[in-house]
Structures are given as structure tokens and as C-alpha cells.
Amino acid sequence: MLHNFKEKAFTPQAIAASRNAEALLLAEDLNGDGLITVDDCGPKAFTANTLRSNGNQDIQVKGTYALAILLQELFLAQKKGETHLELDYEQLNENPVHRLERLIKGSFWDNLTRHIDASGIFLAAKDPKTVVSQPRIYVPTGVPEQHSYYLKLAQERPEMDLDVRWLPEGEITPEFIKSLNSKPGILALEMEEDYSTEGKELKGLPFIVPGGRFNELYNWDSCFCALGMLDTHPHVVKSMRKNLLRLLSPLGCGPFHWHFYWGLPLKVAIRHFIFEIKHYGKILNANRSYYLGRSQPPLMTDLALRTYKATIHEPGSKDLLRDAILAAIKEYHDYWMTPPRYDKASGLTRYRPIGLGFPPECEDTQFAHILAPYAEKNKMTIEEVTQAYNDGEINEPGLDIFCLHDRALRESGHDTSNRLEGRCADLATIDLNCLLYRYETDIADTIRTIFDDCLVVPAAFCGWDQEPDHIETSASWDFAAQRRRQLIDKYMWNEAKGLYFDYDTVIKQQSNFETVTSLWALWCGAASPHQAALLVKMGLPKFECVGGLSTGTEQSRGPINAKNPQKQWDYPYGWAPHQILAWHGLKRYGYQEEAERLIYRWLHMITRVFVDYNGTVVEKYDVTQLESPHKVTAEYGNQGLNFKYTPQEGFGWTNASYVHGLSLLSVHAKRALGECTGYEEYAKAAKWA
């Protein structure tokens, strides 16, 4: 049994909120972290007197999970200003799958929502990754109305101490980006007119942040979060009432609270991405000043098509898809297919963003193993040599090369990994080229099937060498996809090992690092049936663990020591985006059983941590074990742990993977998950059912 309590009544009973919360923590939270978990060695039983019985009736709650729920409900009652809690027996016995799904839908997404306007800029501007406290916003020159809005806001709300600045017109240089490190700020996103106010007023479109230390709009995080919202709010995504449309702009939220109109995250994320491509030249890593030089894994076309299919009958859906595809075409030509990212010799693409020095958003200790010999050489501390190098006071070509690759691995989204450290800018990675193959096939299919094989490209979306109002057809994109697929086969496929590998464009050979992103060739459709069969037979077993897919293999990672510290994107850790893309890739090629097995393993691990650790949902997990897979010490540790009493937000793409994974499982599988049944036991029972 996951949970148990002794009931002396069959109807909800009122108990004092504050008094019982204090007594419960005193009895059960023995390590003082504000949580009740399996690590606490308390009696695992708590008795509360009911208010209406004059002390003649009591309720006894037993077991870690039930006690944690009691703590959470007592805290929520106090947060609402209530003096007592109506204790609901069914709630204490709530199926953990239902409870986590309900929390994600009902509160986690809301708590991860931000706005960059009068209602939310103070919260959105906060950056736990930097020491500068003054809220600051940078506005591109193409939206003067936003600059005026924020100046007016700063004047009307002087207590906010908001610093409003222009970004320069024209090219953003590495030197300029570096100059902003002493005065970092948030970057403007899409806004629209607010129809709930009199006169013309702007309102910031909402966006979802990952959570923890990440308090801005991230590129690929947002794509996976939106995927989860498609599953959790289909009734709103697929229907809009006409009176709402009259009050709201086709894509805005007008006078209504954000959670009331959940079709918006999908369309709004795309609108923010279109804005970024127009004004920043690419979809940014995230909308902070220190991210101006780099992007992240490109997933926009897939998100745009999913959104279009979910909202196909809604006004404006085709127009939004057109703008999204046009923006993707511009980003493809101007960013991804432009040197130095595009490697002419191989015809493949690399991560190679611009920048200077070490990234300011990182912890001081992250580069200690790299900087130690330079500190010794220059007779400085780690902090001193970092500052001297960033300020140009010392010249170290070795650090120049390291930082080039470090920026690239951060653009890859896999920061950090032994697979990429010290070489990422030279690698045509299998993941990036699979994503661009998907761009090419998505754009070709969309132009052919939705826009009658004729897409006019206005000046605003033209690449640097393109004529305004030229016509895009599917043929050129089909050709580009076919060519990239051939190049992936030529340079990245390894028949003997049944895996795809990154290709080093400098030394002109395959990497030997085994990466789970090899499975992205299934998701994007680049693998042949023969290659897919080998991937499943030879590749998949290398990465599959008890809790899902690991990012790589232990052998590729190598031994952990002072010179090779554990990286968070290496074995034994698993991350939501790798799971989701593998699920869909396997299903695409007909490997339903393998996909369900991986989904079940991942969701079972998340559910166990949720049950055993007071509702915890985190950024990443150690997928090789189920006892405490959320306890991660690599680099900055784990995100999603900074709460007391009750979970507030989980973590963005983990939330999304959970609700999306549930949508892909059978009723029997979900029932077994609710009992925290391990996969082997579930599979055995299902076989004999």
C-alpha cells in the first residue's frame, strides 16, 4: 500500500490547520527541511483531533505519502487564510498519478507563467543566475511602442527602479554582448493591445519558464512544455467562443486570467519565437542579454504544425502557421545555414554561436578543473584568472578555444557533457542535423499540403540574399532534406555499431561517443527501416535503464575524477526531451512495445519520487536507480527542489513529459503506475491478463 490511515468517520472532518501543521512537522520532519519523505525517520503516523467532536474523535494518518499529502493540504489551507482544513479521506488516498496530473494542470503551469508588462515584469526580470538586482529590459529598435510603454511604466512605478534600454540597430557583436555582462537584463518579447483597458494599452503575452533558477523563456524547453499543454487542455485548445474572440485578439488573453484560456501557450510560444527571429535574428537560447549571441535546438516547425492541427478550426490558425513557417525559413537561411555554423566541406551544420569570455550565467566553480592550470601559471586564484581573462588582461589561446566550444555546447542545450566539452564547435552533431532535417521536411510538407505549393515570402521574412515576395515551393525543401539525409548516412551512420555518431568537421571523422540523440533519427524520419531496426536492436539497449533513457553510456563518459568531474548531460542522467523524442521516434517506426516500455519506466520513476519525496518533480533524474534518482550533485545540482511543505511548480519539461506520457499509455498501464508497480511486474501481469 502506498498510503494508509485509520478513519473513525466516513465524512470529511475539520481539523485545526496551523496547530496540526506545526505538530506534524515536529513529529515527522526530523531533518527540518519542511518536507515529509522516506528519508525522515519519524513514527510515520500522526493523530489529529477533529474540531466538531470536542476531542472525542480523532483521525490517524499513516504512511509517508498520506502524511505528505496531509502536510500539503494543511499548508494550502493556511495559505488561503483558513483556520481549519476539511480533511477529505479520498484526498489522502488520492491516486498519485491523478494527483500529480491534477497539480500540473491546476497549479504548476500557472506558477511557471510570466508576463513582461506592468502585471509581471518585476517577477520576470528577476534572475537567480546573476548578482545584479536592478530590473532591466532591453528593447529592439523595431518596436518603439514597447520602449514607450516601458518608459511610461518606469515613470509611473518609480519603486520598481526599472531600467529601460534600447538595443542597437544592426548587427549585434560579441563585444557588445560582453559589454552587457555588468548590466544584464531581460529581452523584450511579443506584446499586443489589451482590450480590457480603455484606450490603447499594451499587454505582454504570457510565457512559461522552466522553473528553479531558470526564470526566462527558453527555446526548446518551451516547445516541450507546449506539447504537454496540448494534452492537458484540449477542450480549450480546440474550441473558442465567439464572444471571447471579440474581447480577445485572436491570440491574446484580454481581461481573463491566464489559466482560463489554455489554448494560448501554444500560439503564444510561436508568436514569441516569430518576434525573436524578426528582432534578434534567431530563436534565442533564452531572453536574457547574455543569450543574445546564441540559439538552442530548433524545434519550431514541429511545434507550429502541432499547434495548427490542434486549432485548425480556429480563426487565424492558418495565418499563424504561415508566419511561423516563414520565420523558420528565415532562421534556417540566415542562421543555421550560414558559416561558421554551416560547414561547406561536409554540407552539415554545427553549433557555433558568437561570444567572448566565460558565460556570466554559470557558477564560479563550474570551470575550476579547466582553469586550475591557468591559475597556477599566472599565480592567481580561480576567480582572479577568470576575471583577468574576461577583461582581456591575460592572453590564453587555450581558453579561447575552450570558450568557443563551451558556447557551442550551451547552444546545443546539452550543457554540459563530455561528449561536447572541448570540441562541440567542430562537431556536426547528429541531434542538430536531425532537427534541421525535420525543418526541411516539415517546411516542404506544409508548403505542399497547406499552401498549395506556393508560399510568398514578404520582405520581413526574406533572408539576406533573397528577393522580397519570391515564391517558395516544396521542391527545393524536398531536395534539401534528401541531401541532408544522404550526408547524415555518409558521415554519421555506423552500420557495425547500429548507431549514429557526431561528425568532427575538423579532423574529418566520426566521434566515438555513444549518445542517446542517435535515436532522434527515428523522430525526424531520417532513418531507413533497416537503420531503425539496428538502432532498436543494438543502440537502444545501450541507453535503456530502469528509469528510462540515459543521455549516454558509462563507457563513453569515462571514469569520474578531479580532472573529469561528472557532467549533468552524461550517464547516468536522463532528461525529459530525450525521452519524448525517443517515444515518438519508436512509435513512428512501429516499435510500440518498446515505446510503451520506455514511457512506463520514465513515468514510474517520476511517480515514485513524487510519492516518496513530498511531491517532488525535478529537472533531471539518475535513471539507473529508483531509490533517490532526483538527488543529483553534478554541476549546479537539481532544479525543482527549492520548496517547503507543498510542491509549487515541478519542472517545466518534466511536467510536460509526465502528462504527455500518460496520454500515450493504456488504462491498464496508468492503473499500475498509480500503484507504483515496477515495469517488470507490470509487464508480467499484463502478459497473463
Side-chain angles (χ1 to χ4, degrees):
M1 289 289 292
L2 291 176
H3 35 79
N4 186 21
F5 59 90
K6 181 180 178 182
E7 57 181 82
K8 293 188 176 181
F10 294 94
T11 57
Q13 296 292 316
I15 62 173
S18 178
R19 174 164 52 84
N20 280 289
E22 292 175 3
L24 179 59
L25 286 169
L26 183 64
E28 299 289 347
D29 177 27
L30 300 190
N31 61 7
D33 62 357
L35 307 174
I36 298 176
T37 74
V38 293
D39 291 342
D40 291 304
C41 298
K44 302 297 183 184
F46 180 77
T47 301
N49 295 120
T50 61
L51 294 176
R52 300 189 184 104
S53 67
N54 295 318
N56 295 320
Q57 282 188 324
D58 61 20
I59 298 174
Q60 191 175 64
V61 182
K62 293 183 178 180
T64 299
Y65 179 60
L67 290 167
I69 291 179
L70 177 59
L71 175 64
Q72 293 165 33
E73 297 304 322
L74 287 168
F75 173 77
L76 290 174
Q78 293 180 81
K79 190 175 180 181
K80 295 175 185 176
E82 298 172 355
T83 59
H84 68 277
L85 168 68
E86 290 286 342
L87 193 57
D88 188 328
Y89 294 120
E90 290 186 3
Q91 197 166 27
L92 285 178
N93 269 316
E94 187 174 9
N95 182 310
V97 171
H98 297 164
R99 183 173 180 84
L100 178 51
E101 187 178 24
R102 179 173 61 80
L103 287 173
I104 292 170
K105 294 178 182 181
S107 62
F108 285 6
W109 291 136
D110 271 347
N111 293 336
L112 290 170
T113 300
R114 302 289 183 270
H115 302 76
I116 308 181
D117 58 17
S119 69
I121 191 170
F122 189 75
L123 176 60
K126 290 182 178 179
D127 187 0
K129 299 182 295 303
T130 65
V131 297
V132 179
S133 60
Q134 183 182 17
R136 181 178 292 107
I137 185 164
Y138 289 95
V139 183
T141 56
V143 282
E145 68 279 5
Q146 287 200 23
H147 191 266
S148 298
Y149 169 85
Y150 292 120
L151 276 181
K152 179 183 177 185
L153 177 62
Q155 293 168 357
E156 293 177 348
R157 302 273 298 276
E159 74 280 2
M160 292 178 63
D161 194 27
L162 178 63
D163 183 12
V164 183
R165 301 199 176 200
W166 285 110
L167 284 175
E169 190 170 5
E171 182 182 2
I172 297 292
T173 66
E175 291 76 15
F176 174 74
I177 298 172
K178 180 183 174 183
S179 74
L180 301 183
N181 288 347
S182 61
K183 40 186 178 296
I186 199 163
L187 301 174
L189 294 173
E190 183 67 287
M191 302 183 80
E192 66 183 5
E193 291 185 18
D194 183 0
Y195 291 91
S196 68
T197 61
E198 295 183 4
K200 186 176 181 180
E201 187 67 83
L202 291 178
K203 182 179 181 69
L205 295 183
F207 58 94
I208 299 293
V209 301
R213 69 198 296 265
F214 305 110
N215 191 41
E216 46 274 320
L217 175 73
Y218 280 81
N219 179 343
W220 70 325
D221 293 73
S222 298
C223 292
F224 290 104
C225 288
L227 177 62
M229 292 176 194
L230 273 170
D231 295 311
T232 58
H233 299 82
H235 59 290
V236 183
V237 171
K238 296 177 181 177
S239 63
M240 304 179 189
R241 289 167 52 191
K242 289 183 179 179
N243 62 324
L244 283 178
L245 290 171
R246 179 178 58 82
L247 291 171
L248 313 172
S249 69
L251 306 178
C253 56
F256 296 91
H257 191 260
W258 169 233
H259 68 72
F260 183 80
Y261 196 66
W262 270 108
L264 294 176
L266 313 168
K267 292 183 174 181
V268 166
I270 293 172
R271 290 188 67 186
H272 285 315
F273 290 163
I274 294 170
F275 180 93
E276 289 189 335
I277 291 171
K278 281 183 176 180
H279 299 287
Y280 306 125
K282 55 190 167 294
I283 302 176
L284 297 171
N285 184 151
N287 65 317
R288 295 282 179 191
S289 55
Y290 43 78
Y291 291 137
L292 274 167
R294 67 180 189 249
S295 184
Q296 259 193 342
L299 287 151
M300 181 177 176
T301 57
D302 178 64
L303 175 61
L305 285 169
R306 287 181 181 274
T307 302
Y308 175 71
K309 291 172 183 176
T311 62
I312 191 169
H313 300 298
E314 307 301 343
S317 60
K318 188 173 181 179
D319 291 335
L320 180 63
L321 177 63
R322 178 184 289 106
D323 283 353
I325 294 299
L326 288 170
I329 290 173
K330 178 176 175 61
E331 182 192 40
Y332 175 91
H333 284 303
D334 285 1
Y335 193 73
W336 296 114
M337 295 300 289
T338 301
R341 284 163 291 281
Y342 176 66
D343 176 55
K344 292 182 179 180
S346 66
L348 296 169
T349 304
R350 310 171 293 196
Y351 289 110
R352 263 205 189 199
I354 61 172
L356 291 171
F358 286 94
E361 75 274 14
C362 293
E363 308 74 30
D364 293 338
T365 58
Q366 184 166 340
F367 303 104
H369 65 295
I370 300 296
L371 287 165
Y374 295 96
E376 183 178 355
K377 171 187 172 182
N378 291 279
K379 295 181 173 51
M380 296 178 176
T381 65
I382 296 293
E383 293 75 15
E384 289 171 343
V385 77
T386 302
Q387 190 65 47
Y389 173 73
N390 284 340
D391 292 343
E393 295 173 1
I394 59 174
N395 180 29
E396 293 290 356
L399 290 182
D400 293 343
I401 294 172
F402 174 82
C403 287
L404 168 69
H405 294 303
D406 182 74
R407 287 190 295 273
L409 75 83
R410 294 179 192 284
E411 184 169 64
S412 80
H414 295 80
D415 44 325
T416 62
S417 165
N418 281 351
R419 167 191 166 213
L420 304 173
E421 187 172 85
R423 65 186 310 197
C424 187
D426 294 340
L427 294 178
T429 65
I430 181 59
D431 26 304
L432 176 56
N433 284 277
C434 283
L435 294 175
L436 291 176
Y437 176 78
R438 184 63 174 260
Y439 257 44
E440 291 155 351
T441 56
D442 282 347
I443 292 170
D445 291 342
T446 303
I447 293 175
R448 180 168 43 248
T449 61
I450 299 175
F451 297 110
D452 301 321
D453 216 7
C454 179
L455 183 63
V456 178
V457 183
F461 291 108
C462 282
W464 63 271
D465 60 346
Q466 295 176 326
E467 291 291 328
D469 298 322
H470 73 277
I471 293 175
E472 292 279 349
T473 66
S474 60
S476 62
W477 292 95
D478 284 329
F479 177 79
Q482 182 181 11
R483 180 172 181 270
R484 190 178 298 273
R485 183 173 182 173
Q486 291 171 347
L487 295 172
I488 288 173
D489 284 345
K490 177 181 179 180
Y491 293 110
M492 298 177 160
W493 174 247
N494 189 310
E495 180 79 8
K497 296 182 179 180
L499 280 174
Y500 293 92
F501 290 87
D502 302 328
Y503 177 72
D504 193 312
T505 61
V506 174
I507 63 176
K508 301 188 185 307
Q509 68 181 37
Q510 281 186 1
S511 165
N512 61 3
F513 198 105
E514 296 168 330
T515 170
V516 74
T517 58
S518 181
L519 301 177
W520 291 18
L522 301 177
W523 173 78
C524 73
S528 68
H530 169 71
Q531 289 168 324
L534 286 180
L535 276 170
V536 173
K537 179 182 178 180
M538 301 174 66
L540 185 59
K542 291 178 179 292
F543 310 111
E544 183 174 353
C545 302
V546 66
L549 292 170
S550 171
T551 54
T553 62
E554 186 174 14
Q555 181 180 359
S556 288
R557 181 203 65 186
I560 300 303
N561 52 49
K563 293 184 178 180
N564 181 36
Q566 176 70 57
K567 312 293 194 307
Q568 63 176 358
W569 283 90
D570 283 340
Y571 177 93
Y573 301 124
W575 296 70
H578 290 167
Q579 318 300 319
I580 294 172
L581 295 186
W583 302 342
H584 283 277
L586 289 165
K587 290 170 70 67
R588 177 173 187 157
Y589 283 80
Y591 295 97
Q592 302 291 340
E593 182 179 342
E594 289 81 0
E596 180 173 316
R597 184 175 71 239
L598 292 176
I599 296 168
Y600 192 97
R601 289 192 187 283
W602 178 251
L603 268 57
H604 171 245
M605 177 187 62
I606 293 173
T607 305
R608 276 197 56 157
V609 172
F610 179 79
V611 167
D612 290 346
Y613 287 92
N614 208 117
T616 292
V617 179
V618 292
E619 178 189 35
K620 54 189 173 284
Y621 295 83
D622 176 353
V623 293
T624 64
Q625 51 101 355
L626 296 176
E627 296 307 311
S628 55
H630 64 298
K631 295 181 179 180
V632 174
T633 58
E635 300 184 55
Y636 56 71
N638 222 334
Q639 300 298 297
L641 296 171
N642 189 26
F643 71 92
K644 289 186 176 183
Y645 315 126
T646 185
Q648 300 293 319
E649 56 189 27
F651 193 84
W653 58 21
T654 309
N655 300 340
S657 73
Y658 195 83
V659 294
H660 185 61
L662 287 176
S663 76
L664 302 175
L665 287 181
S666 67
V667 173
H668 297 295
K670 287 185 276 191
R671 186 177 299 128
L673 278 177
E675 292 296 328
C676 283
T677 303
Y679 176 76
E680 283 70 22
E681 184 180 349
Y682 159 69
K684 183 179 179 181
K687 180 180 179 181
W688 294 102

